[in-house]
Structure formats: C-alpha cells, structure tokens
C-alpha cells in the first residue's frame, strides 16, 4: 500500500477515482504511508548476522529462524538464503556465500541442515500424511530463499 501511495503521489502511478478516494480515507485515518522505507532499507550481511546472534540468545541457542518470523521477516529470509547459498557452494555451484562468512556462522553453531529425518520405509501413507506442516513449510522456505537470494547475500 505504501509503494502504491508513493508512486501515485510522485505521478508514476495512475489510479481510479475509487482508489484515490480509498487512499484519502486511509490518510484521514492516520495511516502511516511512510513506514515502507524502513522495511526496504538494505541491511548488510553483518547486521543480519548480529540479529541472528541476538535471536539465538533469546531462543535457547537455536538458529532456526522461521522463514516467516513475524518479529523480523527479513531475518527469516536471510537465514534461509544462507542455507540455500551454502548448499549451492557445497554442490560446487555458484554461491555468494564466502568461506569467511561460513566460518562466522559455524562459530555460533549455525544449523545448516534443518530438514527433518526421512520417514522409515515401512511407514504407511497415513503416517506420512501426518508429518508436521513444518516439513512442507521447509520445502517452501527453500524455494522462497532461492528466489530471495540475490537481494540478501
């Protein structure tokens, strides 16, 4: 909404009269259109690393920041991107993750692999269907991280 408002105000975006009316109503209610630049600001790798260390301190030593971590969405995406870049590097493919950064993450016992163990061969389909949603979320996280990697490494 903030991007739409900013582009409309700058003349880059044409809006219908209905949409203009709705934006004006939001403005009259005090909607903070200017908050987006804070979220769009480019945080460096070191800042994310510091935030990860703070997360770890507050969460019992865990570096498993959820991709959709509500307190800081960018941190969750950054963590997933580090894992995806590490996998690329380990596979001998192009990666932006340097050895120095891997060493820093290893110093804080970063969990590179967060996939759950595969179910036993003898498991029935019903047992496999009852795997936690987390398993499926992690698959989505890897895809999201790969799409996000160019902006966060």
């Amino acid at each position: 909404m903030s991007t739409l408002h900013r582009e409309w105000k700058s003349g880059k975006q044409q809006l219908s009269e209905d949409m203009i009316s709705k934006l004006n109503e939001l403005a009259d209610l005090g909607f903070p259109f200017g908050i987006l630049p804070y979220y769009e600001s480019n945080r460096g790798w070191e800042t994310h690393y510091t935030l990860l260390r703070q997360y770890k301190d507050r969460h019992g030593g865990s570096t498993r920041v959820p991709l959709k971590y509500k307190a800081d969405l960018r941190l969750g995406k950054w963590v997933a991107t580090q894992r995806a870049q590490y996998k690329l590097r380990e596979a001998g493919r192009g990666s932006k993750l340097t050895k120095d950064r891997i060493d820093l993450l290893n110093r804080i016992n970063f969990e590179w692999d967060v996939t759950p163990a595969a179910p036993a061969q003898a498991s029935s389909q019903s047992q496999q269907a009852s795997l936690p949603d987390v398993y499926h979320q992690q698959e989505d996280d890897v895809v999201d991280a790969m799409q996000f990697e160019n902006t966060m490494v």
Side-chain angles (χ1 to χ4, degrees):
M1 185 61 69
S2 293
T3 302
L4 179 67
H5 183 264
R6 183 180 66 237
E7 289 181 357
W8 169 62
K9 284 292 197 181
S10 70
K12 293 180 184 177
Q13 177 74 41
Q14 297 294 320
L15 300 176
S16 68
E17 290 299 319
D18 184 49
M19 183 58 84
I20 293 170
S21 173
K22 290 177 181 180
L23 287 174
N24 286 332
E25 285 179 43
L26 287 171
D28 290 344
L29 293 170
F31 184 83
F33 289 106
I35 63 170
L36 193 57
Y38 169 77
Y39 293 103
E40 287 181 339
S41 65
N42 189 13
R43 276 197 303 216
W45 193 94
E46 292 78 10
T47 302
H48 281 102
Y49 177 75
T50 299
L51 291 168
L52 175 60
R53 287 177 44 203
Q54 291 170 359
Y55 176 94
K56 183 181 179 205
D57 290 344
R58 286 185 298 238
H59 292 89
S62 174
T63 59
R64 291 181 175 222
V65 181
L67 179 63
K68 296 179 177 155
Y69 179 50
K70 290 181 181 179
D72 187 344
L73 291 173
R74 290 184 296 166
L75 181 61
K77 288 183 179 185
W78 180 84
V79 166
T81 299
Q82 303 315 298
R83 289 188 180 110
Q85 288 293 313
Y86 181 78
K87 287 178 184 177
L88 288 173
R89 185 179 173 97
E90 290 294 299
R93 296 171 54 200
S95 171
K96 297 177 182 178
L97 188 61
T98 66
K99 173 81 170 95
D100 290 339
R101 289 178 174 177
I102 291 170
D103 291 344
L104 282 171
L105 290 166
N106 282 336
R107 272 190 226 154
I108 63 167
N109 297 317
F110 186 76
E111 298 173 72
W112 293 106
D113 186 9
V114 294
T115 56
Q121 291 284 347
S123 297
S124 70
Q125 259 188 325
S126 64
Q127 288 173 323
Q128 290 178 359
S130 68
L131 285 173
D133 289 338
V134 170
Y135 181 79
H136 299 292
Q137 180 63 45
Q138 287 175 346
E139 291 176 19
D140 294 341
D141 291 355
V142 171
V143 172
D144 288 346
M146 295 299 289
Q147 292 169 348
F148 192 72
E149 72 185 41
N150 289 331
T151 61
M152 298 305 289
V153 176

